[in-house]
Amino acid sequence: MSLNTFYFNSTLYKEYLKDFRNNPDKSRIIVFAGTFAKNRKYALTQFETEAIGDTKKIFLSEYISGSEKDSYEKLDALFENLKSINSLIVFKEAEQLCGVYVGHTYSVVKYATPQEKYFIKKLKELNCSSIIEFENETHLDKTLEKAADAVVRFRVPSSKLKKLFFWLTQVRMNGSNLPSRRPV
């Protein structure tokens, strides 16, 4: 793991949250990644409590599509509206930014989509902190990890009972492990 990547509730996480509290005006890009939704939600409330003003939540599925031109136009309009915001912005459904695996079916190489690269470029121009929330940690790629100031990973619970309930909530009837559709 790199220096900007750490687990929820670790010492590094607590230090980062303290720094967030002490420097509320600093612009940051924070990535939440992991399937443990209960802890992701709790961490989000911790950051919202420390942020000045009301948190703005944005669902990326409304702005990112398979069409680059359409996505760029929607992102331009979105970020034009976000320029005036000084509080925390939370981007949900970040799986919409996902690139695709290339080569063989079982490839582990994933590349950023042009939409993701454009999103990151626009995100860096904002003057406020933002959280990008991935429900599935495996959808996160290196491009976004490098652009982020912090990547907070959410582990699966360690106790057997909590682990059982966690895995039961992860069952999908259609057999897919993708929580949201990727752009086509």
Side-chain angles (χ1 to χ4, degrees):
M1 265 193 317
S2 62
L3 291 176
N4 70 332
T5 302
F6 40 83
Y7 289 105
F8 170 72
N9 256 354
S10 67
T11 305
L12 289 172
Y13 171 81
K14 291 174 183 175
E15 289 173 13
Y16 189 81
L17 185 61
K18 184 178 179 181
D19 183 54
F20 185 85
R21 178 183 307 122
N22 294 335
N23 300 307
D25 296 331
K26 183 177 176 184
S27 179
R28 306 163 196 252
I29 299 173
I30 305 164
V31 174
F32 281 4
T35 51
F36 198 20
K38 184 177 178 181
N39 280 357
R40 268 195 345 264
K41 188 175 181 178
Y42 180 70
L44 184 58
T45 59
Q46 287 180 312
F47 279 90
E48 287 176 323
T49 303
E50 302 302 334
I52 299 170
D54 292 332
T55 302
K56 173 106 173 136
K57 293 184 180 169
I58 296 165
F59 292 87
L60 287 174
S61 60
E62 297 174 19
Y63 299 95
I64 306 293
S65 67
S67 164
E68 287 178 39
K69 183 180 178 191
D70 183 44
S71 295
Y72 295 164
E73 289 171 0
K74 288 180 180 178
L75 287 173
D76 284 339
L78 170 66
F79 280 96
E80 188 62 38
N81 291 334
L82 294 178
K83 281 183 181 178
S84 61
I85 293 183
N86 255 354
S87 62
L88 183 65
I89 301 172
V90 178
F91 293 96
K92 297 198 155 281
E93 300 173 346
E95 283 78 11
Q96 290 299 121
L97 298 169
C98 285
V100 294
Y101 293 98
V102 297
H104 303 291
T105 307
Y106 298 103
S107 173
V108 293
V109 178
K110 189 188 323 181
Y111 294 95
T113 60
Q115 294 91 325
E116 179 180 358
K117 291 176 184 176
Y118 192 75
F119 172 79
I120 292 169
K121 176 184 167 226
K122 296 301 248 175
L123 193 59
K124 287 181 176 184
E125 296 171 2
L126 286 179
N127 292 323
C128 61
S129 292
S130 56
I131 294 176
I132 305 164
E133 191 173 10
F134 282 86
E135 291 180 14
N136 190 330
E137 176 174 5
T138 60
H139 294 189
L140 182 62
D141 60 43
K142 296 292 180 197
T143 306
L144 195 53
E145 283 187 65
K146 289 177 184 175
D149 297 303
V151 177
V152 182
R153 297 190 182 268
F154 296 85
R155 290 185 200 174
V156 175
S158 57
S159 80
K160 290 180 182 180
L161 185 59
K162 286 182 180 180
K163 204 179 276 189
L164 173 68
F165 285 115
F166 170 76
W167 288 116
L168 286 175
T169 62
Q170 302 304 306
V171 173
R172 305 231 191 295
M173 296 308 287
N174 62 1
S176 170
N177 65 351
L178 299 176
S180 67
R181 295 180 312 134
R182 288 183 176 183
V184 245

